[in-house]
Amino acid sequence: MNLAKMGAALGAAMLGAITVAPAVAQPAATADTVAAIRARGQLVCSHAPSTVGFSLPDSQGNWRGIDVDYCRAVAAAILGDGNRIRVIPSSTQQRFTMLQSGEIDLLVRSTTWTLAREASLGFEFAAINVYDGQGFMVHRDAGVTSARQLDGATVCVQPGTTTELNMADFFRSNRLRFTPVVIESIEEIRNAFISRRCDAYTNDASSLASFAASQGANANRYLLLPEIISKEPLGPVVRKGDFRFFDIVRWTHFAMVTAEEFGITQANVDTFMNSNNPDIQRFMGRTGDLGRMLGLENDWAVKIIRAVGNYGEVWERNMTPIGFPRGINNLWTRGGLQYAPPMR
């Protein structure tokens, strides 16, 4: 057999031996979420039931927090009014089923973006509104100053979260013993920690800061340990397949970041109408058809800023009061990770 024939035979044999992995089943395109939102006149969102800084009803029953503001921002983009939202609180175990079933349009519930969630649950994460990481909180009088001193500790944790896996990985990799105290309700888990049913409480650092802030004068009783043991990019989640809605949610976040870059705020947005800057003219909807490309009005970004302000304003209103430093959530021009693609 000559070399050419030998090569062809070998290639055919190798091709026949290859086993092609089956493709991962992709969900069929979902219903037109934007059309459904417009038909009912409301955007239906799900948030955590009580997390200061993220989502919490005020004394008048109005929901407040960074996740709520994102819901309002998307409503402003689609419906022109950030108040046209309906909030359905969800537990960590209910949230994904509620989105899959169509009970809610948008999940903005301090939910971590992971490969498994995006690849296997039929979801897309549209943006990252908070770059976070998992930490541990202890009672200050316990004398613990490092998570590596938690050998043998009982640790309060919620089920159905990335927190459980991260915690187990941390203790195993550091050859430490622990006993998980698994509690579903956020209020119950916090009460268990306060009453010392567990030595430590683990969650995203922002959530731990939110818990401490909710304790008022007693906040100093608790200490957030310095170790951050994971990456927890949090953000809005939509059903996979409805790319028009996905684009709107993603670019709502980018519009808020872009507005901060331009210095456009809730208070001064209208003064930018006469700007000679071409980028700002497109942002304001005076030139170009960016809004129509998304299926929105061309002043969609202006409506977002009028409703909730820019990204920095949303952060200052919700996260700064709970003592969570902006850090890597700053704009890229200030050493952070928040960076918006060009709006053109």
Side-chain angles (χ1 to χ4, degrees), residues 129-149:
N129 69 341
V130 178
Y131 288 92
D132 207 348
Q134 185 175 332
F136 293 92
M137 182 164 279
V138 296
H139 296 269
R140 189 178 294 273
D141 62 11
V144 174
T145 56
S146 167
R148 290 176 176 81
Q149 296 175 282

Side-chain angles (χ1 to χ4, degrees), residues 114-236:
T114 70
L115 185 153
R117 286 173 174 176
E118 194 162 85
S120 66
L121 297 181
F123 299 149
E124 296 279 7
F125 284 75
I128 299 172
N129 69 341
V130 178
Y131 288 92
D132 207 348
Q134 185 175 332
F136 293 92
M137 182 164 279
V138 296
H139 296 269
R140 189 178 294 273
D141 62 11
V144 174
T145 56
S146 167
R148 290 176 176 81
Q149 296 175 282
L150 292 175
D151 190 27
T154 53
V155 185
C156 280
V157 63
Q158 283 186 288
T161 66
T162 57
T163 311
E164 285 184 288
L165 178 61
N166 295 336
M167 174 184 66
D169 286 348
F170 172 80
F171 279 91
R172 183 172 59 250
S173 63
N174 285 280
R175 298 182 179 181
L176 303 174
R177 297 166 296 112
F178 76 103
T179 301
V181 179
V182 181
I183 302 173
E184 166 65 22
S185 164
I186 188 69
E187 289 301 326
E188 289 180 19
I189 201 169
R190 290 173 173 179
N191 288 335
F193 175 60
I194 291 170
S195 64
R196 297 180 184 263
R197 281 180 56 194
C198 45
D199 303 309
Y201 170 27
T202 187
N203 208 328
D204 295 344
S206 61
S207 182
L208 297 175
S210 170
F211 159 72
S214 71
Q215 299 306 299
N218 293 328
N220 197 47
R221 294 181 180 179
Y222 310 106
L223 175 67
L224 180 62
L225 299 178
E227 291 86 356
I228 298 297
I229 68 169
S230 71
K231 294 186 292 185
E232 304 294 331
L234 313 178

Side-chain angles (χ1 to χ4, degrees), residues 291-344:
R292 290 190 178 93
M293 292 177 190
L294 291 169
L296 305 172
E297 297 295 327
N298 277 338
D299 65 346
W300 63 284
V302 174
K303 291 173 180 174
I304 291 170
I305 305 308
R306 285 176 180 157
V308 300
N310 66 39
Y311 179 79
E313 290 180 283
V314 170
W315 186 277
E316 288 297 318
R317 180 164 60 244
N318 298 297
M319 305 304 288
T320 299
I322 67 172
F324 190 64
R326 189 161 176 190
I328 59 174
N329 289 284
N330 234 313
L331 294 180
W332 64 284
T333 53
R334 300 171 192 160
L337 296 178
Q338 291 295 350
Y339 182 102
M343 292 180 63
R344 59 173 180 263

Side-chain angles (χ1 to χ4, degrees), residues 113 207 250 280:
W113 186 348
S207 182
R250 165 173 280 186
I280 292 177

